[in-house]
Amino acid sequence: MPTPENALSLTVAGTPDFPSEVLKALYRITGRSTVELRNSIRAGEPVYTAALFGKDHIEVVPRLERTAAYLDEIGAAFVVHEWADGSREEISRSVMQEIIEAADGESR
């Protein structure tokens, strides 16, 4: 999955073999197929990536937040990455929220 220039992504830590109920719930949140989700988890790739500052910002950021909340709810560890100018850096949840708030201000 290509990553936008400026984005936030969530990657499940480890390679858990989630039951289909979990994958179906993630599908409903992210819109990615259960096969795509399972393959991303196994490969250590993001389960969801939200492009910032684009026309889809208003749709993708809530999905990102709901994905993080669901992973918290089921006790699945995950890592947040910021993608900026072609590089990727691990960030904390609080930094993720700060970036989202800043992006919300610029997208208005």
Side-chain angles (χ1 to χ4, degrees), residues 24-83:
K24 287 177 187 175
L26 285 169
Y27 159 73
R28 287 189 296 277
I29 297 167
T30 67
R32 296 186 68 201
S33 76
T34 56
V35 171
E36 286 177 320
L37 290 164
R38 188 178 307 276
N39 289 340
S40 290
I41 292 166
R42 286 181 178 158
E45 296 174 353
V47 292
Y48 193 72
T49 301
L52 302 178
F53 312 113
K55 61 181 170 100
D56 295 337
H57 177 87
I58 197 157
E59 293 176 21
V60 297
V61 169
R63 285 181 179 223
L64 178 80
E65 292 173 314
R66 286 194 309 266
T67 303
Y70 180 70
L71 292 172
D72 278 341
E73 180 183 315
I74 64 169
F78 62 93
V79 178
V80 181
H81 286 103
E82 175 185 20
W83 300 76

